[in-house]
C-alpha cells in the first residue's frame, strides 16, 4: 500500500487557507525538505510501512515534536506514517472497575478535559495541562510525548506513578512493557524496527488515592522542566500510606521511577517529615547534567523539593477525595 | 495610570486641544486587520529566495570556499561570498545611536577572511525556492583553520588572549594608540573633581563588582530584506529597518555605489529596539540580485537572528561610591568593561556617560573599555549600555542607603541630578525632571502601601537616558476637505506616526484624525535620521511643528487674497484665521486653496540638536521561593518624566514595554554558550523572554516637566524605562531574602545558590 503524497498536503496550516496557497505560505513550507506521508488505516498497515522503511520512517501522531524537528533540521525522514486515523489509536476508555485505556494518539485536551479522570489520574491531568499551550494540547498526545522520549517529558513521570503499561505493536504481534522500562536514553526507547506504541493501560484507581505532577521552570509557562516530579499514593483506612510511587523527570538521561523512595513511604504516616525524607531518597536516582536549563547540583536539590511538594499535594488529594 | 503635571516652565500649564488626548492610532486598522505591509509580504515577479551559510565556529580563518557544486544545483541562480564585496576602507559612519567602521560593517555582513563568531555569514545563495537554496548551502565547501576563541570580556583583555583582529589597537584618550594589536579597541576616561579627596571625605565607601549577560532585543519580526538591482544600476531595497536613510547610506557605502542609486523602502516593522539600525541582509540580497538579475528576498530564521545579529553586550562593572553620614554622595568611581562582540565599537560610551548620570556627585572618575570577543557584533538595544551600568550603580546606591538607614528614595532625592548638575562626561543638565519622578514615586499608592508576608521585598531603582536630537524632515499637503497629508521619514516602531501627526494637528488647530501620516521611502521625503535615541516624537515632531507653521504662513497669504488685505493683517489662533472683518476656520480656508493659487505644501527640515534627558524611577515588589530561588513579581510601578505626554497611552506603553524587557534581563535572559563558543539557546523557547504569565500589570505614573527646548515640552520616552528594572528587582530580592545579587540574569538557580551560601 502506498498512500504516499507530498508533504504539502497534510500540514494543518495549509488546510486552512484557500487553494492555491499564497506564494508566501508556499515558500515558507517549501523550506521543509520533501518527505512522503502515509495515513495508515490499521495497526497492521502501520507496522508494515514502518518495518519496510526502518529508520527513515517516523510515526506522526499530533506532530508537535516531529514537525518542529523536521522544520528545524534536527531530524530528517523519508516517510511519516500517520497513525491517528487508526481507530484504536485515539480511544479513551475508562471505567472505575477496569481502569483506563488510552490510545497512543489521543490528544492531551481529551485527558484533562475528562471529568472522570480528574481524580482517578490526577497527575496525568496535571501533566497534560502544562504541555505547551492549548493549541499544542489540542494535537499533542501522551503517546507521542512518551515516544519522543525526552528526559524532561512532563507526562512520563505521571505515567510511571500511575503504573501505566505500554501496548506495542510490531511485526511479531503485540507486546506489553511497563512504562518505566520504555525510555532507554535521551530520545531513545525500547521500540524496535517496525514497532510503534498503540496504547497505554492504567490500573483502576484505588480508594483514598491521590496523585500530582509538578515541575520547576524559570518562567511560568511555555518552558521545559528543569526538574519534574510525579507522586501517587494510596492511604489505608487508618490514614497511613498503603502504597506509593514516585518518579522524576529532567534529572537523568530518562525519566526515572524512584523505587527506594516509593518503598520507604509504605506504612508511614503522610507527614511533611516523611515526605522530606522520601525526597532525599528520590535524589539518589538523579544524575543530571549541567546545561542551559540549570546546573546539576541545583537539579538534584530541586528533585528533593519537588518530590516533597508532589507528595504533599497527592496526600491532600487522597485525603480530600479530589 | 496617573499623570502628574509639574508646571515649572514657560510652556507649563498650556492648554492643548490634541496633545494629551488618546486618539485611535492611524496605523491601527491596518494592524488589527492584518493588512499592514511588512517586508515579508513583498512578492515580486520572478523573485528568488536567498539563504545564508553561517560559520559553525566561534573563531576561524577561512582558508577556501568552493561554491561550484552549489552553483551547479538546478534552481540556483546566484551565489556570493565575501569576495563579491568591494574593499571598503576604514571610515566611520554615524548611525544615530552609534557609529560604525564601514570596513568592519562589510566584514560583519559577510566574512572576508576570518569568521569571528558562530553564526557569522560566510556565503549566500539565491534560488527559485528556499528549499533549493537550503540544499545549495549544504553543497558549499568551506575550509576553516579553527582558532582559539574568547567569550568573556575580562578573558579577552588578558595579554595572552586569542586576538580577534591584528589591525585593531587600543585607542587611548587624545588619539594615542597602543604599541601592539589588542582586543581592547578603546579606553574611555572621564573625570571631574578629585576622587581621592572625595573618598577621604566619605564616612561610608562601598565597592562592588557586577556581571551582566549578553541579551537580545527579541523583536518578533526576524530581519528580512528584498532587493532588486535593476539593469539601470538602480537598487531598490524593501527592508525592516529603523532608519531608511541609514540603511541607504550603509548599503551604498558597503557596495561602493552612490547613495542616490539606492532607494530604501521601509516596510512596516515588527519591533527593533535598536537592533534594526545596522544592515545585515540588504547588501547580500543586492549582490545576489545583481548577479541573478532577479529580485531576491532573504528572511532570517529565529536562530539566525540570535546568532547573526547584534545583541547588547555582556559586561563587567566595578562601582565604588562614597557618602557622608548624612547621605550626601561625595565620590564615585567606575570601571566598565563592555564586550563589543566580533568587531570594535560597542556601547561602552553611553555606559560610561550613564553610570552616574542620575546623581550630583562632585568627584567622580569613570574608565571604560570596548573589548572584542567571539560573539556577534553588539548593537544598540534600548538605552544601549545604560541598563548594565544602572544595575551596578543603583545596587550600590541601595546598599549605601540601607547601611546609612535612609529610605532609598530619600537618599536619591538628597543626591538627585538637577538643572546645573554636571555629568561626569561634561554636559551640564538643563531643566530635568528627576526630582519630580522621585517625589511621584515616593507619593505613589504603591510606595505608600505596606508589603507584608515572608520572603517578600520591595526594591527601588532609577534610570537615565539621553534623548538625541538629530535630523528630521517632513512635508505636508493640505487637502481640499481640510485634512492634511503628512509625509515623514521616521519608521514607526513606537506609535510615532500618531504622536508626530498629533503635533501637526495641534499646530494647525485641527483634529488628530484629520492628519493622515505616511512614512515614505528615501526618495519620497527629506533626509531623516534613524528611529532611535528616543528622538522621533521630539525631533520629527519638531519638524511637523515647523511644517505646520509653514502651512499657516502660506494660508495667511491665501486668506489675504480672499479678503483683499495684507498677509500680516491675518491672525491665526485656535484653528481659525481672522482678518479685517472676516474669519475662516482652517477647514473653510482649505476648501478655497485651489481658487487662490493651488494646493499648499508645508515643509521643514530640522536638526533637533539639544534634546534633553529622560529620568525614571521604578518600584517593584517581589516574592522569592527560598527553596527554588524563583522570583515572582507581585507589583510593579514605573514613574517617568515625559516632558509632555503627547499620547499618554503610548507613553504608558513605552514605560510598560521597557519595564518588561528589563524584567527579562533581570530574571532569565542570556546567551548561553558551550565550551566551543556555540550559543545553545538560540530559540524563543530556551532564551526565555518573559511571557504574559510572568508579569503583573505594570502600573505607570507619567510626570510632566516640560522640555524647555521643545515648543510642546516633549521629551523622548522610549528608552529610559528599560534602565531601572534589573537593579530594582535585585534590590527587592535583597529586601526579600537578604542576598545581594550582582550578576545578571538572576535565574532561580543563582538566587537559590546565593541564599544557600548565606546560610
Amino acid at each position: 500500500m502506498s498512500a504516499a503524497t507530498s508533504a504539502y498536503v497534510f500540514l494543518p496550516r495549509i488546510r486552512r487557507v484557500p487553494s492555491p496557497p499564497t506564494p508566501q505560505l508556499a515558500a515558507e513550507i517549501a523550506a521543509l525538505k520533501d518527505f512522503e506521508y502515509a495515513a495508515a488505516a490499521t495497526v497492521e498497515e502501520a507496522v508494515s510501512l514502518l518495518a519496510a522503511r526502518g529508520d527513515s520512517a517516523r510515526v506522526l501522531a499530533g506532530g508537535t515534536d516531529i514537525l518542529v524537528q523536521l522544520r528545524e533540521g534536527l531530524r530528517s525522514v523519508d516517510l511519516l506514517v500517520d497513525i491517528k486515523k487508526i481507530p484504536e489509536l485515539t480511544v479513551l476508555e475508562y471505567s472505575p472497575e477496569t481502569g483506563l485505556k488510552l490510545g497512543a494518539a489521543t490528544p492531551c485536551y481529551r485527558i484533562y478535559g475528562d471529568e472522570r479522570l480528574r481524580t482517578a489520574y490526577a497527575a496525568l491531568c496535571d501533566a497534560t495541562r502544562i504541555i505547551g499551550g492549548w493549541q499544542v494540547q489540542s494535537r499533542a498526545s501522551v503517546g507521542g510525548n512518551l515516544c519522543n522520549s525526552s528526559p524532561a517529558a512532563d507526562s512520563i513521570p505521571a505515567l510511571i506513578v500511575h503504573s501505566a503499561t505500554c501496548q506495542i505493536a510490531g511485526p511479531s504481534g503485540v507486546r506489553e512493557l511497563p512504562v518505566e522500562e520504555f525510555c532507554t536514553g535521551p530520545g531513545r526507547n525500547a521500540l524496535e524496527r517496525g514497532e510503534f506504541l498503540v496504547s497505554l493501560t492504567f490500573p483502576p484507581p484505588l480508594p483514598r488515592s491521590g496523585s500530582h505532577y509538578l515541575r520547576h521552570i524559570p518562567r511560568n509557562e511555555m518552558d521545559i522542566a528543569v526538574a519534574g516530579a510525579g507522586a501517587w499514593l494510596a492511604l489505608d483506612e487508618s490514614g497511613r500510606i498503603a502504597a506509593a510511587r514516585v518518579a522524576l523527570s529532567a534529572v537523568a538521561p530518562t525519566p526515572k521511577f524512584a523505587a527506594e523512595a516509593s518503598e520507604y513511604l509504605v506504612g508511614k504516616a503522610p507527614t511533611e517529615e516523611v515526605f522530606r525524607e522520601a525526597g532525599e531518597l528520590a535524589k539518589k536516582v538523579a544524575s543530571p547534567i549541567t546545561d542551559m536549563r540549570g546546573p546539576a547540583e541545583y537539579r538534584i536539590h530541586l528533585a528533593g523539593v519537588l518530590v516533597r511538594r508532589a507528595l504533599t499535594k497527592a496526600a491532600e488529594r487522597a485525603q480530600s477525595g479530589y | 495610570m496617573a499623570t502628574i503635571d509639574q508646571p515649572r516652565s514657560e510652556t507649563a500649564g498650556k492648554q492643548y486641544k490634541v496633545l494629551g488626548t488618546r486618539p485611535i492610532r492611524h496605523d491601527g486598522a491596518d494592524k488589527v486587520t492584518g493588512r499592514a505591509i511588512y517586508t515579508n509580504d513583498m512578492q515580486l515577479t520572478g523573485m528568488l529566495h536567498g539563504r545564508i551559510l553561517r560559520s559553525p565556529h566561534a573563531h576561524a580563518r577561512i582558508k577556501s570556499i568552493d561554491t561550484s557544486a552549489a552553483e551547479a544545483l538546478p534552481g540556483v541562480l546566484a551565489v556570493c561570498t565575501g569576495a563579491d564585496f568591494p574593499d571598503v576602507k576604514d571610515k566611520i559612519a554615524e548611525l544615530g545611536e552609534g557609529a560604525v567602521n564601514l570596513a568592519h560593517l562589510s566584514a560583519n555582513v559577510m566574512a572576508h577572511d576570518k569568521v569571528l563568531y558562530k553564526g557569522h555569514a560566510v556565503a549566500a545563495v539565491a534560488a527559485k525556492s528556499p528549499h533549493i537554496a537550503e540544499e545549495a548551502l549544504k553543497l558549499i565547501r568551506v575550509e576553516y583553520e579553527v582558532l582559539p576563541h574568547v567569550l568573556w570580556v575580562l578573558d579577552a583583555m588578558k595579554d595572552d588572549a586569542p586576538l580577534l583582529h591584528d589591525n585593531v589597537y587600543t585607542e587611548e584618550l587624545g588619539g594615542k594608540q597602543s604599541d601592539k594589536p589588542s582586543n581592547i579597541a578603546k579606553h574611555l576616561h572621564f573625570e571631574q573633581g578629585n576622587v581621592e579627596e572625595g573618598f577621604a571625605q566619605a564616612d561610608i565607601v562601598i565597592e562592588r563588582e557586577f556581571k551582566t549577560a549578553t541579551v537580545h532585543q527579541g523583536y518578533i519580526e526576524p530581519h528580512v530584506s528584498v532587493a532588486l538591482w535593476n539593469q539601470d544600476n538602480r537598487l531598490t531595497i524593501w527592508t525592516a529597518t529603523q532608519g531608511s536613510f541609514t540603511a541607504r547610506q550603509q548599503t551604498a557605502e558597503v557596495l561602493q555605489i552612490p547613495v542616490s542609486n539606492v532607494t530604501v523602502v521601509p516596510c512596516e516593522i515588527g519591533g527593533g529596539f535598536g537592533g534594526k539600525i545596522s544592515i545585515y541582509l540588504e547588501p547580500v540580497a543586492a549582490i545576489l540580485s545583481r548577479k541573478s538579475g532577479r529580485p531576491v528576498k532573504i528572511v532570517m530564521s529565529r536562530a539566525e537572528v540570535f546568532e547573526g545579529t547584534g545583541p547588547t553586550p555582556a559586561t563587567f562593572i566595578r562601582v565604588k561610591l562614597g557618602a557622608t553620614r548624612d547621605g550626601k554622595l561625595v565620590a564615585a568611581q567606575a570601571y566598565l568593561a563592555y564586550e563589543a562582540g566580533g568587531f570594535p565599537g560597542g556601547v561602552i560610551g553611553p555606559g560610561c556617560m550613564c553610570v552616574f548620570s542620575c546623581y550630583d556627585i562632585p568627584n567622580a572618575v569613570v574608565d571604560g573599555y570596548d573589548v572584542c570577543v567571539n560573539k556577534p557584533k553588539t548593537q544598540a538595544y534600548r538605552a544601549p549600555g545604560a541598563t548594565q551600568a544602572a544595575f551596578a550603580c543603583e545596587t550600590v546606591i541601595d546598599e549605601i542607603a540601607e547601611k546609612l538607614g535612609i529610605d532609598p528614595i530619600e537618599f536619591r532625592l538628597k543626591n538627585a541630578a538637577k538643572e546645573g548638575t554636571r555629568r561626569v562626561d561634561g554636559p551640564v543638565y538643563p531643566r530635568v525632571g528627576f526630582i519630580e519622578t522621585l517625589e511621584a514615586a515616593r507619593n505613589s499608592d504603591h510606595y505608600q502601601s505596606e508589603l507584608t508576608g515572608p520572603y517578600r521585598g520591595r526594591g527601588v531603582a532609577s534610570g537615565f537616558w539621553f534623548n538625541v536630537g538629530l535630523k528630521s524632515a517632513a512635508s505636508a499637503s493640505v487637502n481640499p476637505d481640510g485634512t492634511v497629508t503628512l509625509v515623514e521619514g521616521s519608521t514607526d516602531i513606537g506609535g510615532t506616526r500618531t504622536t508626530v501627526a498629533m503635533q501637526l494637528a495641534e499646530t494647525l488647530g485641527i483634529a488628530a484624525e484629520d492628519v493622515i501620516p505616511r512614512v515614505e521611502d528615501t526618495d519620497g521625503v527629506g533626509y531623516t535620521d534613524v528611529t532611535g535615541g528616543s528622538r522621533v516624537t521630539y525631533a520629527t515632531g519638531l519638524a511637523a511643528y515647523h511644517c505646520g507653521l509653514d502651512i499657516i504662513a502660506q494660508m495667511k497669504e491665501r486668506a489675504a487674497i480672499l479678503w483683499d488685505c495684507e498677509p500680516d493683517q491675518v491672525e491665526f489662533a485656535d484653528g481659525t484665521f481672522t482678518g479685517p472683518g472676516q474669519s475662516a476656520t482652517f477647514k473653510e480656508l482649505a476648501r478655497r486653496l485651489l481658487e487662490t493659487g493651488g494646493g499648499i505644501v508645508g515643509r521643514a527640515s530640522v536638526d533637533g540638536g539639544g534634546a534633553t534627558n529622560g529620568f525614571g524611577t521604578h518600584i517593584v515588589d517581589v516574592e522569592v521561593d527560598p527553596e527554588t530561588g524563583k522570583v515572582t513579581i507581585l507589583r510593579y510601578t514605573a514613574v517617568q518624566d515625559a516632558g509632555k505626554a503627547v499620547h499618554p497611552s503610548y507613553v504608558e506603553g513605552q514605560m510598560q514595554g521597557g519595564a518588561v524587557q528589563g524584567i527579562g534581563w533581570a530574571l532569565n535572559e542570556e546567551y548561553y554558550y558551550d565550551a566551543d563558543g556555540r550559543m545553545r539557546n538560540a530559540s524563543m523557547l530556551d532564551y526565555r523572554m518573559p511571557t504574559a504569565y510572568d508579569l503583573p500589570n505594570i502600573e505607570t505614573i507619567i510626570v510632566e516637566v516640560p522640555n524647555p527646548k521643545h515648543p510642546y515640552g516633549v521629551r523622548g520616552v522610549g528608552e529610559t524605562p528599560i534602565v531601572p528594572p534589573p537593579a530594582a528587582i535585585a534590590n527587592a530580592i535583597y529586601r526579600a531574602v537578604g542576598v545581594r545579587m550582582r550578576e545578571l540574569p538572576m535565574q532561580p538557580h543563582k538566587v537559590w545558590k546565593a541564599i544557600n551560601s548565606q546560610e
Side-chain angles (χ1 to χ4, degrees), chain A residues 262-273:
Chain A
S262 304
E263 282 155 25
Y264 160 82
L265 289 161
V266 178
K268 305 280 191 316
T271 64
E272 193 186 334
E273 204 59 20

Side-chain angles (χ1 to χ4, degrees), chain A residues 33-54:
Chain A
K33 180 176 170 287
D34 280 0
F35 54 81
E36 289 177 292
Y37 165 84
T42 64
V43 169
E44 295 69 32
E45 195 185 322
V47 167
S48 72
L49 281 166
L50 291 166
R53 302 295 277 267

